[in-house]
Amino acid sequence: MASIFTKIINGDILCHKILEDDRYLAFLDINPIRPGHTLAITKREIDYIFDLEDNLLSGLMLFSKEVGIAIKKATRCQRVGVVVAGYEVPHTHVHLIPTNGMSDFSFALAQQADQAELTVMVTKIQEHL
Ligand code: 5GP
């Protein structure tokens, strides 16, 4: 069965898309732990990040860098945290999280996002791409 992220890639589930190319997609997390929390994913559905071939893995990091630089400017955070977990969705994704300290990394802070706020945030981040 297709992962929820493959359904997003195929347009079967809507997302707040930030950036896309032929291999990767970045969109806002629906349960952000901080405003601007973004997921950068591979379009190929591979569960575990270190199963990616080197070229696809290094490309994911460069794609995440491009998006992360824009997130930092848009949110004016100190650092964009980079986390890979994958315990909920078995489809490689990098969490890009605007942070101002270690306490901002808690996934216990995740809250369902307000759709209107996500729409505003997408535009703010895209202005810095
Ligand atoms: P992980 O697999 O790394 O534990 O986390 C998966 C992340 O995907 C979670 O932060 C969760 O909020 C996010 N997520 C799960 N389903 C959807 C969805 O349908 N849309 C979006 N935008 N994010 C999702």
Side-chain angles (χ1 to χ4, degrees):
M1 200 178 81
S3 77
I4 200 148
F5 291 167
T6 293
K7 290 178 183 166
I8 287 174
I9 292 162
N10 292 339
D12 298 329
I13 294 176
L14 294 180
C15 73
H16 290 81
K17 188 185 297 184
I18 294 170
L19 185 66
E20 180 176 23
D21 66 16
D22 57 330
R23 296 199 297 173
Y24 310 107
L25 173 67
F27 54 93
L28 292 174
D29 197 304
I30 40 162
N31 304 304
I33 68 172
R34 297 273 304 154
H37 179 173
T38 296
L39 302 173
I41 75 170
T42 54
K43 288 193 171 175
R44 279 182 60 197
E45 185 177 326
I46 296 169
D47 176 359
Y48 184 51
I49 188 165
F50 291 150
D51 287 334
L52 299 182
E53 62 196 53
D54 289 354
N55 185 272
L56 192 59
L57 174 59
S58 53
L60 177 62
M61 285 301 117
L62 294 177
F63 182 80
S64 299
K65 177 183 177 184
E66 181 179 356
V67 176
I69 287 170
I71 293 170
K72 185 169 183 290
K73 288 178 183 163
T75 62
R76 299 183 179 182
C77 66
Q78 283 183 40
R79 288 171 182 261
V80 171
V82 178
V83 175
V84 177
Y87 286 103
E88 182 187 335
V89 181
H91 182 144
T92 295
H93 54 282
V94 175
H95 293 261
L96 300 170
I97 304 161
T99 64
N100 293 308
M102 282 305 292
S103 57
D104 289 336
F105 280 92
S106 172
F107 278 80
L109 299 172
Q111 284 193 343
Q112 197 174 358
D114 177 273
Q115 293 297 307
E117 283 175 18
L118 293 182
T119 302
V120 170
M121 182 59 74
V122 163
T123 306
K124 271 176 77 174
I125 295 171
Q126 286 179 331
E127 281 170 1
H128 294 281
L129 283 170

